Amino acid sequence: EHLRICPQEYTCCTTEMEDKLSQQSKLEFENLVEGTSHFVRTTFVSRHKKFDVILSQLLSHHSSSSVSIKGFALKSLNVI
């Protein structure tokens, strides 16, 4: 039997066992990556939304007055 992972010599592994172990390993890895990257993804999404709000406000304020773009952006981001 042609095995890809288990040693070719004396082994109790079968192709079916290797396939199942490979699928299980892939699933565990995907779940680990999903769980680990959750914080990064949610942070990015929330900051993206805040950026959209600030940009919309900036554009509406800038078109209606001579407010400094830099000053308005810094105020909106709570930097000043």
Side-chain angles (χ1 to χ4, degrees):
E1 195 166 359
H2 180 67
L3 301 175
R4 294 170 296 170
I5 300 169
C6 294
Q8 294 295 319
E9 298 172 3
Y10 303 106
T11 182
C12 61
C13 269
T14 64
T15 304
E16 182 180 325
M17 290 171 78
E18 274 195 340
D19 290 341
K20 285 182 181 179
L21 288 170
S22 177
Q23 290 171 4
Q24 181 65 30
S25 178
K26 179 182 176 187
L27 182 62
E28 287 176 7
F29 179 75
E30 288 172 350
N31 289 339
L32 181 63
V33 169
E34 175 76 21
T36 306
S37 66
H38 180 75
F39 173 76
V40 173
R41 286 182 288 118
T42 55
T43 301
F44 179 80
V45 168
S46 68
R47 291 190 181 186
H48 175 266
K49 287 178 183 176
K50 177 140 177 125
F51 177 79
D52 282 349
V53 168
I54 291 170
L55 183 60
S56 295
Q57 291 173 349
L58 177 64
L59 293 173
S60 68
H61 279 76
H62 186 266
S63 64
S64 63
S65 69
S66 61
V67 173
S68 162
I69 292 175
K70 183 178 179 182
F72 180 77
L74 292 175
K75 184 177 177 186
S76 296
L77 292 170
N78 297 322
V79 176
I80 59 173

